[in-house]
Amino acid sequence: MRAFAPGSVTAIFAPAGSGDESMGASFTVADGITADVRPAESATRTESAVVLDGEPADFAPVEIALRELGLADDASVELTVEIPIGRGFGASGAATLATALAANAEFGLDRTREQLVEVAHRAEVEAGTGLGDVFVQQMGGLVLGDGTTRWRFDRDDPIEYASFGSIATEDALADDDLMARIEREGTAALDALPDEPSMADVTCEGWTFAQAVDLPTDEVREAVADVEAAGGVASMAMVGETVFAVGVEGVLANRTAVSPDGAHLADE
């Protein structure tokens, strides 16, 4: 059974509550990850339960999700990836959520969608790869959240992006000084958004936030300046050395769009 989860880009975030949740402003993109889950005995199973673009891979949150679903020894997962990994597109969350949805259908686990989202979320937290990506990826569109409630807005803006490198999410989340700045500046940026923000609103506040927490590299700053010179607005994906932009065409290397669709089974 196959399931698809869109990639997601977080423009602004801050930890909330116990630290296992986050508040923020994020959006899904049309590109994502497809997970093909099969019984282990009927799939090519090597030393890993996970195959990434044809090669065995260690993918901790996916493996944790399989364990939580009672399928650690029974399932194999083949991931087909359309988004950069480790560069702020929520790839680990998309892979884990798609795996949970596909595994539930393939093995007849009869879990609700909410339960599967929670399994994927807990797997990400345990692996240290994310705090809230899967909640956005299951909804689609532009999503604002305060840690307990999430508001979804239909958006379909074209998005351009360029990726220059990776920033380890687990390292960022483990940096107490950085997370203290993120909590302070992220809360302020979210408070500054209008009640029904446009993608330009989110991008502008996202850039203010990124600069305030001192994450942009020189390459990121140069790319944002190029977008602004062309009349658009740009910011940095959280957390990755990636610039995303709205309001321009042909400035950055890649082009996609905000996706209104959340994660879903691909074989229906």
Side-chain angles (χ1 to χ4, degrees):
M1 180 65 68
R2 296 182 306 129
F4 173 83
S8 62
V9 174
T10 295
I12 307 165
F13 80 104
S18 65
D20 290 349
E21 300 283 354
S22 67
M23 51 186 177
S26 307
F27 59 91
T28 54
V29 295
D31 312 310
I33 293 182
T34 298
D36 187 352
V37 178
R38 304 178 186 181
E41 63 270 20
S42 66
T44 302
R45 181 74 177 265
T46 57
E47 66 272 14
S48 173
V50 182
V51 174
L52 176 63
D53 285 339
E55 297 293 332
D58 292 325
F59 214 118
V62 169
E63 294 165 0
I64 292 168
L66 291 177
R67 183 196 71 203
E68 291 300 306
L69 292 171
L71 300 173
D73 298 320
D74 300 320
S76 288
V77 182
E78 184 169 350
L79 300 174
T80 303
V81 180
E82 303 170 341
I83 50 178
I85 293 178
R87 300 195 176 188
F89 283 87
S92 61
T96 307
L97 180 56
T99 295
L101 293 177
N104 183 65
E106 177 68 26
F107 289 90
L109 302 180
D110 200 29
R111 304 287 185 95
T112 67
R113 185 177 179 91
E114 290 74 16
Q115 288 171 331
L116 295 169
V117 171
E118 187 60 30
V119 165
H121 171 60
R122 289 199 306 268
E124 277 243 273
V125 170
E126 182 174 336
T129 52
L131 287 178
D133 291 335
V134 299
F135 297 115
V136 177
Q137 292 161 347
Q138 73 100 9
M139 296 175 74
L142 170 64
V143 179
L144 304 186
D146 65 5
T148 56
T149 304
R150 295 174 183 86
W151 298 268
R152 180 187 178 280
F153 303 91
D154 282 321
R155 300 289 183 264
D156 59 2
D157 303 57
I159 301 290
E160 291 200 347
Y161 69 91
S163 295
F164 305 107
S166 62
I167 297 174
T169 302
E170 55 268 37
D171 291 344
L173 295 179
D175 185 329
D176 291 339
D177 290 339
L178 174 59
M179 291 305 294
R181 294 200 306 274
I182 285 173
E183 182 173 8
R184 181 180 65 252
E185 301 296 342
T187 300
L190 291 168
D191 287 344
L193 289 173
D195 290 340
E196 295 195 12
S198 66
M199 285 300 301
D201 293 329
V202 169
T203 305
C204 287
E205 290 299 334
W207 184 231
T208 299
F209 165 68
Q211 294 178 96
V213 298
D214 197 28
L215 281 175
T217 62
D218 289 343
E219 283 184 302
V220 166
R221 292 180 186 277
E222 289 171 8
V224 170
D226 289 342
V227 170
E228 292 176 343
V233 290
S235 187
M236 178 183 179
M238 296 293 143
V239 180
E241 197 180 351
T242 292
V243 173
F244 67 91
V246 295
V248 291
E249 184 172 356
V251 176
L252 301 181
N254 304 285
R255 192 168 178 87
T256 183
V258 181
S259 171
D261 300 321
H264 56 274
L265 292 178
D267 290 332
E268 290 185 335

